[in-house]
C-alpha cells in the first residue's frame, strides 16, 4: 500500500505539497481495487439520504435539532430514540442546562466586569480577521477569565453534560484510551454580546477541526484512514482514534485542543430567526469534505479552497448537496446550551435590527487527552497572568483586572481541568 507523504508542520510550498498528497491519496485508494469516484459515490449516497431525511422532517414540521432536557441527562433518563437522533444529527440543544436566573445573573456580572474595568474605553477593535467580519462593535469580546465564565466552566452541571457528550464517541480502541470522557480540559474561549437592534453580517458556512493538516499530517491520515484505504464503509465520524495527539498547522483560527463538541451557553433568550447558529447536521459529511478534492474536476493544486491561516470553507461551489441541509437552532432561552460535533459545517445567520439581546459564552467539550494536556500548560500560564490564551489574538485586556477569577477560586473540577490535580 502507498506510503503517504506527510508534513508535521505546514509545508513551505503549499501547491506542490497539495499536488503530491492528492496523487498519493488517489494511488492509495486505487490500491484497494476501487476508484476515487467509486469511493466518493458511497459517501455521496449516504450523505444524500441524510439530506433527504432532513428535508422530509422539515416539510413535516419536525425539529431538525435534537432537544434534550438537562434533567434527563442528570437522571440518566435520555431515551434510546433521543440518543439515536443525537448520534444521527450530531448536534443538540440542552434545555435548562442552567437555571434561567443563573444565566441572566452571569450576563449581568459580565457587563459589570467589562464596564468596571473600562473595557470599551480600551477596546482596540477586532483582533482577528474572521470575527472582524461580523460588523458590530464589538460583538465578540476577547474576555476569558471573568468569574461568570469560569464558574460555568467548572460547574457540576457543565461537567455532567460534557461527559454525556464525550461518551457518544468511541474513546478507546486499538488498546489505547484516546481521551478521558469524565474530565474536561476547561478550554477557555470568548463571549458574544450582540445588542438589541444590532445588524450583523453573520458568518459563512465553515468548519473548525483544522485545514490542510487534515490531509497532510500523519495523525490525521490515520484518523481518516478508512476514507483513504478504500474501506469507506468503515469510516465512523464518532471514532476518536489518532485524533488526540497530532499537531495542527498554526493560524489565526486554529484550535490547539481536541473537541468532541463545540458549544455555547445562552445568557439571553434568542428566537430562531434572530441571526442564530445553523449547522449541516450530518456528521458523515466530513467524509464528503475530505474526499471531494480528489475528484477530477478540482485542480491538482487545490483542496476545494482549503488553505492554511483561514477557516475551512464549505459552500455551494464544491459541496452544493450538503448546503440543502443547513438548519438553524430552535428558539433558546437563557440557561440553555447548544452543541455541535466538532467536524460539523456551521454558520451564523445574518440579522437586521435584532429583537432582544444575543449573548452567549463559548464553552466546548474538550476532554482530557495528550493534545489537551499539552495545551493546558499554556492555559494555566494565561490564567495566572490574565492573558489571552495562545489560540487567540494576543490582546491581553485582563492582565490588570483585579476582579478576574483567581486560582484560589478553582474547585476540584477546575483544578483537574487545568492540570493542577
Amino acid at each position: 500500500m502507498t506510503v503517504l507523504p506527510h508534513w508535521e508542520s505546514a509545508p513551505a510550498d503549499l501547491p506542490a505539497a497539495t499536488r503530491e498528497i492528492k496523487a498519493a491519496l488517489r494511488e492509495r485508494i486505487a490500491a484497494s481495487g476501487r476508484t476515487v469516484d467509486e469511493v466518493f459515490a458511497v459517501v455521496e449516497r449516504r450523505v444524500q439520504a441524510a439530506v433527504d431525511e432532513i428535508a422530509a422532517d422539515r416539510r413535516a414540521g419536525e425539529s431538525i435539532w435534537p432537544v434534550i432536557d438537562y434533567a434527563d441527562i442528570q437522571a440518566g433518563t435520555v431515551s434510546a430514540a433521543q440518543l439515536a437522533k443525537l448520534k444521527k444529527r450530531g448536534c443538540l440543544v440542552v434545555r435548562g442546562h442552567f437555571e434561567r436566573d443563573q444565566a441572566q445573573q452571569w450576563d449581568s456580572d459580565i457587563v459589570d466586569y467589562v464596564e468596571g474595568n473600562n473595557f470599551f474605553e480600551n477596546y482596540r477593535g477586532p483582533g482577528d480577521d474572521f470575527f472582524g467580519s461580523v460588523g458590530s462593535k464589538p460583538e465578540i469580546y476577547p474576555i476569558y477569565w471573568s468569574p461568570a465564565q469560569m464558574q460555568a466552566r467548572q460547574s457540576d452541571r457543565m461537567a455532567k453534560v460534557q461527559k454525556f457528550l464525550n461518551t457518544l464517541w468511541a474513546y478507546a480502541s486499538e488498546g489505547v484510551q484516546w481521551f478521558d470522557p469524565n474530565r474536561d480540559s476547561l478550554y477557555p474561549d470568548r463571549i458574544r454580546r450582540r445588542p438589541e437592534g444590532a445588524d450583523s453580517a453573520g458568518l459563512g458556512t465553515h468548519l473548525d477541526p483544522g485545514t490542510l493538516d487534515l490531509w497532510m499530517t500523519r495523525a490525521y491520515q490515520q484518523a481518516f484512514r478508512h476514507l483513504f484505504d478504500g474501506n469507506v464503509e468503515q469510516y465512523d465520524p464518532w471514532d476518536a482514534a489518532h485524533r488526540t495527539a497530532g499537531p495542527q498547522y498554526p493560524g489565526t483560527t486554529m484550535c490547539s485542543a481536541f473537541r468532541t463538541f463545540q458549544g455555547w451557553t445562552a445568557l439571553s433568550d434568542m428566537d430562531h430567526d434572530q441571526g442564530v447558529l445553523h449547522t449541516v447536521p450530518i456528521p458523515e459529511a466530513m467524509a464528503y469534505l475530505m474526499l471531494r478534492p480528489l475528484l477530477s474536476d478540482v485542480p491538482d493544486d487545490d483542496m476545494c479552497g482549503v488553505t492554511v491561516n483561514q477557516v475551512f470553507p464549505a459552500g455551494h461551489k464544491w459541496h452544493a448537496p450538503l448546503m440543502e441541509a443547513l438548519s438553524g437552532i430552535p428558539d433558546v432561552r437563557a440557561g440553555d446550551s447548544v452543541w455541535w460535533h466538532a467536524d460539523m459545517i456551521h454558520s451564523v445567520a445574518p440579522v437586521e435590527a435584532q429583537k432582544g439581546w444575543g449573548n452567549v459564552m463559548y464553552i466546548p467539550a474538550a476532554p482530557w487527552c495528550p493534545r489537551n494536556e499539552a495545551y493546558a500548560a499554556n492555559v494555566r500560564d494565561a490564567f495566572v497572568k490574565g492573558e489571552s490564551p495562545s489560540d487567540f489574538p494576543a490582546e491581553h485586556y485582563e492582565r490588570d483586572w483585579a476582579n478576574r477569577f483567581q486560582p484560589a477560586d478553582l474547585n476540584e473540577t477546575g483544578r483537574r481541568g487545568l492540570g493542577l490535580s
Side-chain angles (χ1 to χ4, degrees):
M1 188 171 281
T2 311
V3 176
L4 294 175
H6 58 93
W7 297 261
E8 299 307 286
S9 55
D13 188 339
L14 290 175
T18 300
R19 286 191 293 269
E20 186 177 348
I21 192 61
K22 287 176 72 166
L25 289 171
R26 288 171 178 144
E27 193 177 333
R28 167 75 71 92
I29 290 170
S32 73
R34 303 170 92 174
T35 66
V36 170
D37 285 353
E38 286 170 341
V39 167
F40 185 73
V42 173
V43 171
E44 202 169 25
R45 284 193 296 271
R46 280 171 60 172
V47 168
Q48 190 61 52
V51 172
D52 293 344
E53 183 178 306
I54 288 164
D57 283 358
R58 194 177 284 144
R59 286 193 298 272
E62 294 184 22
S63 172
I64 306 302
W65 277 68
V67 178
I68 295 176
D69 289 336
Y70 172 76
D72 285 327
I73 295 173
Q74 184 179 36
T77 52
V78 178
S79 71
Q82 286 175 307
L83 280 173
K85 184 173 182 180
L86 172 50
K87 286 289 290 276
K88 183 164 60 177
R89 295 281 161 85
C91 55
L92 174 66
V93 173
V94 178
R95 287 270 184 245
H97 187 169
F98 295 99
E99 297 291 345
R100 191 161 183 267
D101 289 350
Q102 171 69 84
Q104 291 176 322
Q105 183 61 55
W106 280 334
D107 193 40
S108 174
D109 291 347
I110 286 167
V111 173
D112 292 345
Y113 181 68
V114 297
E115 288 185 349
N117 286 291
N118 302 313
F119 170 68
F120 298 106
E121 290 85 344
N122 295 311
Y123 180 64
R124 297 182 293 273
D128 66 46
D129 297 333
F130 183 51
F131 279 121
S133 68
V134 296
S136 48
K137 309 272 188 208
E139 181 169 318
I140 303 295
Y141 291 25
I143 301 302
Y144 305 89
W145 309 117
S146 70
Q149 288 163 287
M150 286 297 291
Q151 287 163 14
R153 286 176 195 143
Q154 69 172 10
S155 74
D156 289 344
R157 282 176 172 249
M158 184 58 71
K160 202 167 287 287
V161 170
Q162 288 164 331
K163 176 183 177 180
F164 169 74
L165 295 169
N166 291 338
T167 53
L168 297 169
W169 284 68
Y171 54 86
S173 62
E174 304 174 24
V176 178
Q177 181 166 330
W178 303 101
F179 67 77
D180 180 351
N182 302 310
R183 179 181 181 185
D184 192 83
S185 63
L186 257 67
Y187 184 82
D189 205 331
R190 298 176 281 194
I191 296 162
R192 188 191 79 195
R193 299 195 86 250
R194 190 194 294 151
E196 198 164 9
D199 296 340
S200 176
L203 296 171
T205 42
H206 67 282
L207 52 160
D208 297 330
T211 57
L212 292 176
D213 38 23
L214 300 177
W215 291 274
M216 293 183 178
T217 60
R218 187 79 186 105
Y220 275 120
Q221 289 170 353
Q222 291 177 286
F224 293 115
R225 62 200 178 281
H226 297 308
L227 302 181
F228 302 144
D229 64 12
N231 297 313
V232 65
E233 290 85 356
Q234 293 180 38
Y235 169 69
D236 178 5
W238 299 97
D239 181 3
H242 305 288
R243 295 194 57 162
T244 58
Q248 184 128 54
Y249 293 167
T252 57
T253 57
M254 74 178 291
C255 177
S256 296
F258 166 71
R259 296 176 289 196
T260 55
F261 281 77
Q262 294 177 251
W264 52 253
T265 299
L267 302 180
S268 63
D269 300 346
M270 282 168 275
D271 291 343
H272 68 278
D273 58 355
Q274 296 301 303
V276 298
L277 177 78
H278 287 58
T279 65
V280 173
I282 305 171
E284 294 85 0
M286 192 64 186
Y288 188 110
L289 294 157
M290 293 299 295
L291 290 170
R292 183 69 183 84
L294 303 182
L295 298 189
S296 59
D297 63 335
V298 184
D300 281 343
D301 60 357
D302 183 11
M303 283 291 193
C304 296
V306 180
T307 188
V308 296
N309 238 337
Q310 296 176 23
V311 294
F312 188 130
H316 285 90
K317 181 176 181 181
W318 301 116
H319 317 114
L322 304 180
M323 298 299 107
E324 301 301 313
L326 193 67
S327 304
I329 60 172
D331 296 347
V332 295
R333 287 166 63 80
D336 295 343
S337 61
V338 174
W339 303 88
W340 62 104
H341 187 294
D343 289 351
M344 195 160 274
I345 299 167
H346 58 287
S347 66
V348 179
V351 65
E352 292 184 9
Q354 176 174 287
K355 299 181 181 70
W357 283 79
N359 302 345
V360 307
M361 288 191 282
Y362 296 103
I363 303 176
W368 199 255
C369 62
R371 184 168 157 184
N372 295 357
E373 183 175 2
Y375 186 61
N378 171 277
V379 170
R380 284 195 299 275
D381 187 56
F383 169 53
V384 170
K385 295 176 180 175
E387 294 185 345
S388 305
S390 63
D391 271 1
F392 299 91
E395 296 170 277
H396 307 314
Y397 287 106
E398 296 168 272
R399 275 177 175 157
D400 301 321
W401 292 14
N403 56 341
R404 70 175 190 264
F405 193 88
Q406 296 296 321
D409 302 321
L410 291 167
N411 62 16
E412 184 57 23
T413 299
R415 292 181 59 79
R416 278 166 50 84
L418 295 175
L420 292 169
S421 66

